[in-house]
Amino acid sequence: MSKRSLLVSGLCVVAAVAGATGLPRRGGDRDASPVTGGATGEALVTRVVDGDTAILSTLGRSRFIGVDTPEVFGHRDCFGPQASAFTKRTLTGLRVRYEIGAESRDRYGRALVYLVLPDGRSFNEQLVARGYARPLPIAPNTRYAERFARLARTASIAGRGLWSACSA
């Protein structure tokens, strides 16, 4: 057997063992564990990816339902770095409660969640109310869509966050 064949075989064995043991992949993200719509639980926020996505210890990569923060990857949208920084400041290392949406995962395999801070406030609402996110209702996960829309109108009128920093 050539050195190249041995190397490829060895890598295949390592990959198979890592997959079978559930070792983390993609920079510490967990595999998509099965989740049921409406399920609740607690998790530690192990890493914030951007303003509306974080890694939760029990769910892996998780997308916050009903909100859309400006982008920071690929291209930087206006107020994207500020939204991402707010989420990192608020959530990194924090134990939160979550509720899985009616649709539990998106097309990228991320868990779809509403997050509740230790003081009982909705983090999804905080993003919109403080002007770090716009509402993004996607059926069937529209439970708080009207509330998010009201909070966005109030934030826009008050000129909070992206509503003052970015042209519509």
Side-chain angles (χ1 to χ4, degrees), residues 15 19 24 27-28 33 75 82 119 131 156 161:
S33 58
H75 68 279
Q82 293 89 333
D119 64 8
S156 175

Side-chain angles (χ1 to χ4, degrees), residues 46-129:
T46 60
R47 185 166 68 92
V48 170
V49 176
D50 60 19
D52 53 31
T53 307
I55 310 300
L56 302 182
S57 61
T58 57
L59 298 174
R61 192 174 287 257
S62 302
R63 175 70 163 74
F64 311 149
I65 298 172
V67 300
D68 186 36
T69 59
E71 297 300 319
V72 292
F73 295 110
H75 68 279
R76 285 189 176 208
D77 288 339
C78 178
F79 219 66
Q82 293 89 333
S84 185
F86 172 74
T87 299
K88 284 179 184 171
R89 266 193 327 270
T90 306
L91 295 181
T92 302
L94 193 65
R95 181 159 292 284
V96 295
R97 288 181 297 144
Y98 63 81
E99 179 183 345
I100 304 294
E103 180 179 15
S104 61
R105 293 215 179 258
D106 67 8
R107 65 182 177 180
Y108 304 108
R110 299 176 294 191
L112 297 172
V113 298
Y114 297 104
L115 287 186
V116 179
L117 299 170
D119 64 8
R121 291 178 300 146
S122 162
F123 184 71
N124 305 50
E125 286 183 7
Q126 291 298 304
L127 284 171
V128 177

